[in-house]
Amino acid sequence: MLLSVGSASVSHAQEAAPPKPAPQAAAQKQLAPLELELKADQQGYDAQLQRFVATGNVVALLAGGRLQADRLEYDTNSRVLWARGSVIFQRGNQYIQASEIRYNLLQGEGELENVYGVIDLLTNQLDLNPDGPLQGSPEAVAAELKQRRELQLNPPKPGVQVSPVSVAPLPASEALSCPPNLPPLVSRHPFPWAITGWGGQMTDATFGETFTVSGSPRPEYLGGIGFNRKLLDADPFDLELDGNLFFHTGDSSRKIRYRKGVSEDQRDFAFINYQQFWEVTFGIGLRWWIQPWLSLGVVEGVSFNSTLSNYEKVSWLNSSQFLNYLAVELGIELSPQWSMVGRIHHRSGAYGTYGGVYEGSNGYLLGARYRFGSPRLKRAQLENPPPLGCPDPDRANRQPLLPLDEQLEAVAFDGPSAQVAPAPIPERQVSKLSPAQQLAQRRAAIAELDQRVRDVQPRLGITVDRRFGKNELSSITGTETAYGQATPAQLQQLQNTKNQKLISGSVTHWRFQAPQVRLTPEGWTAPRASFSNDPFTPAQVWVDMENVKSKQELDGTTVIESARNRLLLENKIPVPLPTTFRIKPTQDQEVENRWSLKNDNLDRDGLFVQYALPEVRLGSATVFSLKPQFMLQRAFEGSTNSYPAPSASAGSGTVSQSNTVGDLFGALALLEGSFGKGRFYARADVSSFSDQNLSNATRVVGEILEPLKLPFLGTPLARLFGAYRFRTWNGSLGEQDIYSAYGVSLEKQASFPTLGKLQSSYFWRAGVGNYQSNDFVSGNYQSNNFADLWRANFYGAIRANLPIWSGKALPLSSEGAYRYSGVAVIPGLSFNFVPFLNLSAYGGGQSQNLVGISGGPVITLGHFNRPMFDYTRLSLFGSLAAKTGDSPFAFDRYVDTATLGVGLTQQLVGPLVLDGAVSYNVAGGSGYYGDVTNSYVELRWQRRAYEVGFYYSPYTGIGGIKFKLNDFGFRGPGLPFVPYEPSTGVVLGP
């Protein structure tokens, strides 16, 4: 059967034509017809329902899309389309399945029931547009050719996926994806309460010495009772409340190791009197179950003694009853409820935080712990049941009595079978296996799943990066950084990332699930909606939202609001999320956070609040954004230390000044757009609006780029640039300022043809500009004098990689290559090298010319799949350059003529990874021999779908916390990921 769903015209082979539409329907505006090809076991026109009806293995093909269902109906009068039973829609890279779909083509609204799907944001607008050109069509060929030309002129940023311009051909028909029936996720340690009997002895060791048992026991003993309450069960981690009551008995003693609390003339006669007192401790504990029977715990809290400790009063300069409490504990489980624990018991002033006290006392405790109680009932949520067409023993019990009109509609769809009497709920059986055995059974079942995904490849991902320290790193261009000296990959992480956004990047491939979705012309709503970036099931991370409303603003930004929103890690750890998200259509700025708390010690004296105003579009190709700022730390302290004195020269050092009203406010403004084949960018960063500081509080950078077609050079990129108070970094010389700069340059980057295994690319730039910046002063002292000179420069580099040996990756599965890592780890050995040339001439007749090479081996061992030490990446890099002449400026003075760097990434236990690197100046005659030119260290919890890391760079002074949601490209529908257990009636979430 062929139907034209856009208009009222219909052609068919089996039934008589339906009645003509009513006059009011005929008067409606006719839509452009779209031909629908329909196949089914039975099809025709139902005169009683006045609908076209197809039943049994229905397949409808429309504009390169395919709709499958058990039953399909189309009303030509109301233009309402119904599909029910094993409903699957596919077009391009989009996949949606449901129990039922109803959609009104005229009103642009409808409903979907029991929804699961895969959405690729790279192509969703194209795939869901019926007029989108199909791959292979003349329109698609023309669009792809135009895109290739544009990409040659404006290459995408590293890691950014390029959106296709044609709709991919339909894959083979997919069977319905059904939720896997997995053994439930249970806790190996389900008892929430614990009581501990303690006994122990104090020691004269310091806290650090207690770990090596270096001190001597003191004649002070303690015993007591402790309680423990589990707050969060996130196996292998527990978050706990910890409280203890101890009774101390100390004998008199003259054997005293420290006597700082006694005057010097009395220290030889110092002694500790007999004493008895009580001690109460209370804190928060984090426990790591290294093995099912072995745990390591840390408790941080407070300690209160009923009286001053005689030992602390004699031993230390200051003492207090109320101090900080810190405990490190090792537990060995003897049975599910009994365990033996040993604890280092420490109280101190936490480096002077408590009344100027720096020391305290330490002891060793041994205890017997009994766990008891039942886990608290988890919050019931709206279920995500299997769709029609999947096994579901609870379906009959779940269906409520329907209103009369809905009963009649159900009978019309399904016949009398739609009204099935509820079946008795089967009694749930309790497993006789231990929790550890149940988890092993669950892991085995997961390993056997057919995940129904293939060709899994990593994409960019979203990074949430909260940095502390100085403001963002900057360089003249990111391209020059990429083609600079070869350095360990670990050192490039801060160089290639700015602190401009709290949230950056994008996740372009989402799996989603909802019990019901209602579509409207303004957007969509759902009582519950879940999203996961993980292509595999069970998902390691997913977003769970309740009472969701989504709408699209005029600039294309999608606003998603919910009553409750959480990020669930491993379906155990709930992380509250904002209830409102704004998702932009551009990939490199997808997630926008309007309010953010930031830190800039250099220009803003510390913490400040920033608010992002809605973007303003100026014409079709220009966007202006403004982000006002309020300086919290300045307001609290009443002064600023970020600027030179008002009467001093711009290059002078900063001084302390009392705030004016203008010092409390700042702004970040951005203007960017395109014209023809070119583009432009301007950024103004103002950290104070005070009249006396405005010139020193403003940083501006801008550029205009235009590709030029030139003989012999191909199509290089022409750049007109300008900067005012631009910050950069220069190896051993550290941070430098360019007070002002303007000029032009011509540059090009491209790849060489592959020669065997050798892959290489090149970059060159030639430019001339006027620079005003600090003079170079030997010894790396900041000069207050500015040099104002013209500078002509040529820079060229070739980046090459030669694989020497390569192993094989594990299967690209959830239990194979993607168990811990979002990128398949392949063992191997490669050699990277970068020959480079840098020629500079200055207006004062000076020049600085150098030629050099950098590089080194990178060896990767293991697959990052086993529990311990299964992934090591070692990078060794050095550089050597021959130089003639010296730059008069500090920002480009080349002193690191020889460097040596090393980087190490090492799996410790499970997903715990240590990542670090350092590079040194090893040029003997430079005057900077042994200086660190860069450094970085990070401790990271790395999983396939997400990463959490704590990092710090001693070189830049920047540290922070980083959370990343990985992104994947893949083919196939996957499996529904929201946990569902038959015969329970509800889904229980953490």
Side-chain angles (χ1 to χ4, degrees):
M1 179 184 287
L2 297 176
L3 300 180
S4 182
V5 299
S7 67
S9 62
V10 179
S11 63
H12 57 93
Q14 297 181 3
E15 302 289 341
K20 293 182 180 180
Q24 59 185 24
Q28 292 176 349
K29 182 179 178 181
Q30 299 296 309
L31 303 176
L34 292 173
E35 188 177 85
L36 181 147
E37 180 182 343
L38 186 66
K39 298 179 182 179
D41 294 343
Q42 293 182 345
Q43 55 179 302
Y45 182 75
D46 189 317
Q48 183 178 359
L49 295 176
Q50 296 187 358
R51 299 173 182 170
F52 286 96
V53 179
T55 59
N57 299 313
V58 180
V59 178
L61 301 176
L62 175 68
R66 177 175 57 231
L67 179 66
Q68 301 169 240
D70 294 336
R71 182 182 181 96
L72 181 70
E73 298 188 12
Y74 176 63
D75 189 323
T76 56
N77 291 325
S78 61
R79 293 187 191 146
V80 175
L81 182 72
W82 285 271
R84 184 174 174 88
S86 301
V87 180
I88 299 176
F89 173 76
Q90 287 180 278
R91 189 172 193 263
N93 297 324
Q94 318 305 316
Y95 173 93
I96 300 173
Q97 69 176 41
S99 291
E100 179 181 339
I101 294 178
R102 185 195 70 84
Y103 191 73
N104 189 311
L105 298 173
L106 287 179
Q107 299 176 2
E109 63 180 24
E111 298 90 25
L112 297 87
E113 300 288 337
N114 304 331
V115 188
Y116 167 76
V118 180
I119 287 186
D120 193 336
L121 297 179
L122 287 178
T123 62
N124 71 314
Q125 292 186 355
L126 179 69
D127 291 341
L128 299 180
N129 178 8
D131 298 323
L134 300 178
Q135 196 174 98
S137 66
E139 297 82 2
V141 172
E144 290 165 358
L145 179 60
K146 179 181 178 182
Q147 184 188 56
R148 284 196 297 270
R149 290 173 177 171
E150 291 176 349
L151 291 176
Q152 289 176 351
L153 298 176
N154 300 307
K157 296 179 181 179
V160 174
Q161 298 289 323
V162 178
S163 300
V165 292
S166 61
V167 179
L170 273 175
S173 297
E174 297 278 2
L176 202 67
S177 287
C178 298
N181 188 9
L182 295 173
L185 183 64
V186 297
S187 173
R188 292 181 294 178
H189 309 279
F191 305 105
W193 291 94
I195 188 169
T196 309
W198 294 110
Q201 185 174 7
M202 305 302 289
T203 175
D204 63 7
T206 63
F207 181 60
E209 291 173 339
T210 58
F211 291 92
T212 58
V213 198
S214 300
S216 300
R218 295 193 288 111
E220 181 179 330
Y221 304 89
L222 70 162
I225 188 170
F227 78 93
N228 185 283
R229 177 65 167 94
K230 187 183 299 184
L231 299 177
L232 179 65
D233 184 349
D235 191 5
F237 294 102
D238 291 340
L239 189 66
E240 304 170 339
L241 276 178
D242 183 272
N244 300 277
L245 177 64
F246 299 107
F247 185 73
H248 291 249
T249 300
D251 293 335
S252 300
S253 175
R254 291 186 177 274
K255 187 179 179 181
I256 307 172
R257 184 178 179 184
Y258 301 102
R259 307 178 183 219
K260 298 180 181 178
V262 181
S263 59
E264 291 188 15
D265 59 341
Q266 296 295 318
R267 288 181 180 176
D268 292 338
F269 309 101
F271 65 94
I272 299 174
N273 287 323
Y274 173 84
Q275 184 181 31
Q276 290 183 329
F277 61 93
W278 292 92
E279 179 187 5
V280 178
T281 70
F282 186 79
I284 298 290
L286 179 65
R287 183 173 305 279
W288 176 22
W289 289 95
I290 305 171
Q291 296 291 332
W293 53 271
L294 180 66
S295 68
L296 177 67
V298 178
V299 178
E300 169 60 36
V302 294
S303 167
F304 178 78
N305 287 348
S306 58
T307 185
L308 277 177
S309 164
N310 288 343
Y311 167 79
E312 294 176 5
K313 186 165 54 175
V314 171
S315 298
W316 313 117
L317 184 61
N318 295 312
S319 58
S320 173
Q321 291 175 253
F322 185 70
L323 292 177
N324 183 74
Y325 181 68
L326 180 63
V328 180
E329 175 183 295
L330 189 68
I332 299 176
E333 192 171 274
L334 305 178
S335 71
Q337 291 182 269
W338 284 98
S339 59
M340 296 295 295
V341 288
R343 173 178 287 198
I344 294 176
H345 174 90
H346 167 80
R347 53 177 259 127
S348 70
Y351 303 100
T353 304
Y354 290 75
V357 178
Y358 282 81
E359 302 291 346
S361 56
N362 301 284
Y364 297 103
L365 300 176
L366 188 64
R369 177 168 294 161
Y370 177 73
R371 297 185 179 275
F372 62 96
S374 300
R376 64 185 177 93
L377 293 177
K378 295 181 179 180
R379 181 178 179 269
Q381 293 182 269
L382 187 64
E383 61 181 350
N384 268 286
L388 291 173
C390 287
D392 183 9
D394 297 332
R395 179 168 290 121
N397 301 296
R398 190 183 307 106
Q399 295 286 350
L401 291 176
L402 302 174
L404 179 60
D405 58 339
E406 295 186 21
Q407 289 186 39
L408 294 174
E409 184 176 273
V411 170
F413 272 116
D414 299 326
S417 63
Q419 304 299 312
V420 178
I425 298 177
E427 184 176 349
R428 192 170 185 180
Q429 296 183 352
V430 178
S431 175
K432 297 181 180 179
L433 300 176
S434 69
Q437 290 172 322
Q438 292 182 62
L439 287 177
Q441 187 183 61
R442 175 181 170 86
R443 284 194 293 266
I446 292 171
E448 294 297 323
L449 283 178
D450 177 9
Q451 294 281 351
R452 301 189 62 188
V453 293
R454 59 191 182 276
D455 302 333
V456 180
Q457 297 294 331
R459 291 183 179 176
L460 186 63
I462 286 180
T463 299
V464 182
D465 191 350
R466 174 64 270 150
R467 293 188 174 184
F468 302 96
K470 299 180 181 178
N471 202 11
E472 73 270 10
L473 295 174
S474 300
S475 61
I476 298 298
T477 71
T479 309
E480 187 166 326
T481 298
Y483 283 85
Q485 294 185 18
T487 57
Q490 294 87 348
L491 290 180
Q492 298 175 13
Q493 300 186 51
L494 282 177
Q495 293 174 342
N496 296 336
T497 306
K498 292 188 176 182
N499 194 23
Q500 186 175 337
K501 304 185 191 76
L502 173 64
I503 304 177
S504 61
S506 65
V507 172
T508 59
H509 217 169
W510 290 98
R511 297 192 296 149
F512 72 95
Q513 213 170 328
Q516 183 187 63
V517 175
R518 181 172 180 82
L519 305 174
T520 66
E522 294 77 25
W524 57 270
T525 62
R528 182 187 183 191
S530 305
F531 300 85
S532 178
N533 63 316
D534 192 343
F536 299 105
T537 297
Q540 292 180 347
V541 59
W542 50 290
V543 177
D544 196 27
M545 311 174 77
E546 296 180 7
N547 298 324
V548 189
K549 296 181 181 180
S550 175
K551 62 181 180 180
Q552 194 171 70
E553 296 182 340
L554 295 177
D555 64 354
T557 299
T558 299
V559 181
I560 301 178
E561 299 176 336
S562 61
R564 185 171 185 251
N565 189 13
R566 302 176 303 160
L567 184 73
L568 299 177
L569 304 179
E570 314 289 351
N571 199 38
K572 300 174 185 176
I573 307 177
V575 180
L577 292 178
T579 55
T580 301
F581 274 104
R582 305 176 61 83
I583 304 176
K584 293 190 175 184
T586 53
Q587 192 182 168
D588 58 343
Q589 287 184 320
E590 183 183 333
V591 179
E592 178 188 36
N593 44 303
R594 286 286 173 90
W595 288 99
S596 55
L597 178 66
K598 299 194 172 187
N599 186 79
D600 178 3
N601 290 333
L602 190 65
D603 284 349
R604 291 169 172 81
D605 298 291
L607 294 172
F608 66 99
V609 175
Q610 179 173 280
Y611 179 75
L613 294 171
E615 289 183 343
V616 177
R617 290 194 171 272
L618 308 174
S620 60
T622 304
V623 176
F624 174 75
S625 62
L626 181 64
K627 300 177 181 179
Q629 301 164 345
F630 179 76
M631 311 303 161
L632 285 177
Q633 199 146 340
R634 281 185 190 167
F636 178 77
E637 296 178 352
S639 62
T640 174
N641 295 281
S642 296
Y643 314 112
S647 59
S649 62
S652 301
T654 61
V655 298
S656 178
Q657 306 175 47
S658 297
N659 286 335
T660 65
V661 174
D663 288 321
L664 301 180
F665 298 92
L668 178 66
L670 180 67
L671 180 70
E672 55 186 339
S674 60
F675 57 93
K677 297 180 180 180
R679 50 195 168 93
F680 61 89
Y681 165 91
R683 180 175 181 263
D685 187 354
V686 181
S687 57
S688 171
F689 285 102
S690 168
D691 292 341
Q692 61 185 16
N693 292 322
L694 184 61
S695 61
N696 290 311
T698 303
R699 297 184 185 272
V700 181
V701 61
E703 57 186 14
I704 301 174
L705 303 101
E706 175 80 15
L708 301 178
K709 191 171 183 179
L710 300 175
F712 306 110
L713 298 179
T715 311
L717 188 66
R719 180 192 307 268
L720 176 65
F721 65 88
Y724 175 73
R725 295 191 71 243
F726 189 79
R727 183 184 303 126
T728 188
W729 294 78
N730 185 15
S732 296
L733 300 182
E735 182 183 339
Q736 304 294 332
D737 271 339
I738 300 174
Y739 193 71
S740 67
Y742 60 89
V744 295
S745 67
L746 198 66
E747 65 185 55
K748 185 178 181 179
Q749 67 179 95
S751 298
F752 291 113
T754 301
L755 298 175
K757 296 182 178 180
L758 180 65
Q759 297 178 334
S760 57
S761 57
Y762 68 87
F763 168 76
W764 60 262
R765 175 188 294 118
V768 61
N770 181 272
Y771 292 82
Q772 188 179 32
S773 184
N774 296 86
D775 288 333
F776 173 79
V777 177
S778 179
N780 199 21
Y781 293 103
Q782 183 74 26
S783 170
N784 293 340
N785 299 320
F786 280 147
D788 188 350
L789 299 170
W790 283 90
R791 173 181 181 260
N793 173 260
F794 175 84
Y795 177 83
I798 297 174
R799 177 171 287 274
N801 176 268
L802 178 63
I804 299 173
W805 160 73
S806 180
K808 293 183 178 180
L810 294 178
L812 301 181
S813 64
S814 61
E815 296 298 307
Y818 293 119
R819 181 180 182 187
Y820 292 124
S821 174
V823 178
V825 174
I826 303 175
L829 174 65
S830 63
F831 193 86
N832 297 327
F833 59 94
V834 180
F836 58 93
L837 176 69
N838 196 334
L839 309 175
S840 300
Y842 304 89
Q846 295 172 276
S847 65
Q848 177 178 262
N849 304 309
L850 57 105
V851 59
I853 187 170
S854 64
V858 179
I859 185 169
T860 302
L861 303 174
H863 290 94
F864 204 1
N865 178 266
R866 297 176 181 174
M868 297 177 64
F869 301 108
D870 189 35
Y871 172 45
T872 301
R873 184 182 184 187
L874 179 64
S875 308
L876 299 174
F877 282 85
S879 70
L880 186 64
K883 186 182 78 165
T884 62
D886 289 306
S887 168
F889 295 116
F891 79 87
D892 69 340
R893 182 75 165 240
Y894 199 86
V895 298
D896 299 322
T897 54
T899 64
L900 185 64
V902 59
L904 176 66
T905 302
Q906 178 64 59
Q907 178 200 17
L908 301 177
V909 178
L912 192 63
V913 176
L914 179 65
D915 204 3
V918 64
S919 62
Y920 293 94
N921 181 316
V922 292
S926 67
Y928 298 90
Y929 180 84
D931 284 2
V932 174
T933 61
N934 209 340
S935 59
Y936 182 87
V937 64
E938 178 180 1
L939 187 64
R940 183 169 65 249
W941 183 265
Q942 184 167 322
R943 296 290 275 159
R944 170 182 67 244
Y946 69 95
E947 301 173 11
V948 182
F950 301 86
Y951 65 89
Y952 181 67
S953 171
Y955 173 71
T956 62
I958 293 176
I961 303 170
K962 180 172 63 178
F963 177 82
K964 182 181 180 184
L965 280 180
N966 293 325
D967 189 18
F968 301 89
F970 59 91
R971 297 184 182 277
L975 300 174
F977 58 91
V978 175
Y980 175 73
E981 298 176 21
S983 303
T984 62
V986 296
V987 174
L988 298 179

